[in-house]
Amino acid sequence: MSLRTALFAASALALVSTAAHAETITIATVNNGDMIRMQGLTDDFTEKTGHTVEWVTLEENVLRQRVTTDITTKGGQFDILTIGMYETPIWGANGWLVPLDDLSDDYDAEDILPAMAGGLSHDGTLYAAPFYGESSMIMYRTDLMEKAGLEMPEAPTWEFVRKAAAAMTDRENDINGICLRGKAGWGEGGAFITAMSNSFGARWFDMDWNAQFDTQPWADTLNFFVGMMNESGPAGYATNGFNENLSLFQQGKCGMWIDATVAASFVTNPEDSTVADSVGFALAPDNGLGKRSNWLWAWALAIPAGTQKEEAAKEFIEWATSKDYIELVAEKEGWANVPPGARTSLYENPNYQSVPFAQMTLDSILSADPNNSTVEPSPYVGVQFAAIPEFAGIATEVSQEFSAVYAGQQTVEEALEKAQAITNDAMEAAGYR
């Protein structure tokens, strides 16, 4: 056999082997820009592994419902789930997720930012790999701030934000001074108002797991939020979540937006944002009580226990959350559009250090402490959530009551009274009280 014939035969055998072991994996994910970008690059994964991918892309609240139902009923619809810091340690402890403690040396799991690895682990074992990590920060129109005769501090207070929002509001030209989440859902408007409440001295529970919605800090939080949004927010803000506010900001209809740090690349992208050249960044506001109103989160990829395609799923996770993937996005889309907040090496990379929002994103992530998120002591871990299994259901109901306030359907007092009863009843039923 000639060398050429031998090489051809070996290549053919390799192709047959790859095809024989090729899988089609199904991934449930959220419909945000970074995940949609990943879908567009999936051919690179298929070329390298032979595996193909079927995507189920869902709005955030729907995604949470679908993956929770699937994992708890062992439905087996998905080989990879997009989940976050709330679900991962709880589901890992229940044995519902495949441990990710055997990823390859080339993957370099030690490079994952400690805040992200810690939030996606249980008892020191990683159960989900962060596609990107985030906190929240202020994104604002520098031109409108200058026109208002104000200068954004690097670390502003809520009072300054309210004053600036009022000054930038221009109803005749459809410019709202501030855009914030009001949409029901524990991870939508519920996440925002909980993080905000931390800076006002509120908490979900005292140390005996009693609900705290009948306290002054919660009344102060909701009254301030509603007052500011009625003065300077968009009409219908009760139904606005991340995607709705992103669209408003990109259209030039928001003076300020306080939301996920990951949005920075979208609002500064001239292909999508009409205000890309006039966006500034600042830390999320505080009230002088020692706690800022920023959260800590990661959208991460996890494998449900029981999947028949575990090996292929791990290969995808290694591909999608790797240093090489970051380089691939940088090559295709530029460094400003790589997935942020997950790897230490990204923030040591000179190419990324020149991105205008890189340092503010890192500072925001590092300033969020899930083990010490409230002014008064609390019995739970988490910044914009309490890391207990019952929280998602309770907080979804509470957020619906708050959204009813934003829509003008009930008063702050009525909503807080209902939130107190909903939470205490659920905690008593669950055996906490």
Side-chain angles (χ1 to χ4, degrees), residues 382-400:
V383 180
Q384 74 277 26
F385 58 83
I388 57 174
E390 296 78 13
F391 180 80
I394 296 170
T396 295
E397 287 191 57
V398 169
S399 73
Q400 290 166 350

Side-chain angles (χ1 to χ4, degrees), residues 365-401:
I365 288 171
L366 295 178
S367 71
D369 183 358
N371 294 304
N372 186 29
S373 62
T374 55
V375 174
E376 298 293 327
S378 65
Y380 54 88
V381 173
V383 180
Q384 74 277 26
F385 58 83
I388 57 174
E390 296 78 13
F391 180 80
I394 296 170
T396 295
E397 287 191 57
V398 169
S399 73
Q400 290 166 350
E401 299 298 338

Side-chain angles (χ1 to χ4, degrees), residues 92-117:
N94 287 343
W96 295 348
L97 301 176
V98 174
L100 300 181
D101 53 1
D102 59 350
L103 300 176
S104 68
D105 291 340
D106 289 342
Y107 177 75
D108 192 8
E110 295 298 318
D111 186 49
I112 296 173
L113 279 168
M116 299 300 150

Side-chain angles (χ1 to χ4, degrees), residues 111-165:
D111 186 49
I112 296 173
L113 279 168
M116 299 300 150
L120 297 171
S121 298
H122 171 69
D123 280 349
T125 297
L126 190 72
Y127 280 95
F131 180 70
Y132 68 74
E134 66 178 43
S135 184
S136 51
M137 65 182 176
I138 302 175
M139 293 158 278
Y140 67 95
R141 291 270 302 276
T142 55
D143 56 336
L144 295 182
M145 189 69 72
E146 183 178 354
K147 183 179 178 182
L150 297 171
E151 184 175 344
M152 175 69 80
E154 184 175 301
T157 64
W158 275 111
E159 285 298 337
F160 175 86
V161 167
R162 187 170 186 171
K163 174 184 174 182

Side-chain angles (χ1 to χ4, degrees), residues 10-131:
S11 298
L13 182 62
L15 288 171
V16 169
S17 176
T18 299
H21 293 90
E23 302 275 14
T24 297
I25 54 176
T26 303
I27 302 176
T29 195
V30 66
N31 65 338
N32 66 30
D34 281 291
M35 295 303 188
I36 291 169
R37 181 179 291 125
M38 178 169 59
Q39 294 173 40
L41 296 171
T42 308
D43 285 348
D44 181 77
F45 169 72
T46 299
E47 289 172 8
K48 289 176 177 175
T49 65
H51 305 309
T52 55
V53 179
E54 291 184 355
W55 294 93
V56 179
T57 307
L58 303 165
E59 186 270 332
E60 184 171 328
N61 285 339
V62 178
L63 173 75
R64 295 184 197 281
Q65 294 168 358
R66 286 279 298 276
V67 300
T68 300
T69 299
D70 193 62
I71 199 85
T72 55
T73 62
K74 299 182 180 178
Q77 294 183 55
F78 310 113
D79 302 300
I80 294 177
L81 311 172
T82 304
I83 58 176
M85 288 185 167
Y86 168 67
E87 301 94 345
T88 301
I90 296 172
W91 294 3
N94 287 343
W96 295 348
L97 301 176
V98 174
L100 300 181
D101 53 1
D102 59 350
L103 300 176
S104 68
D105 291 340
D106 289 342
Y107 177 75
D108 192 8
E110 295 298 318
D111 186 49
I112 296 173
L113 279 168
M116 299 300 150
L120 297 171
S121 298
H122 171 69
D123 280 349
T125 297
L126 190 72
Y127 280 95
F131 180 70

Side-chain angles (χ1 to χ4, degrees), residues 407-426:
Q409 297 168 356
Q410 65 180 343
T411 66
V412 167
E413 292 74 19
E414 290 169 336
L416 289 173
E417 184 177 347
K418 292 176 182 177
Q420 182 77 4
I422 288 167
T423 306
N424 275 340
D425 288 349

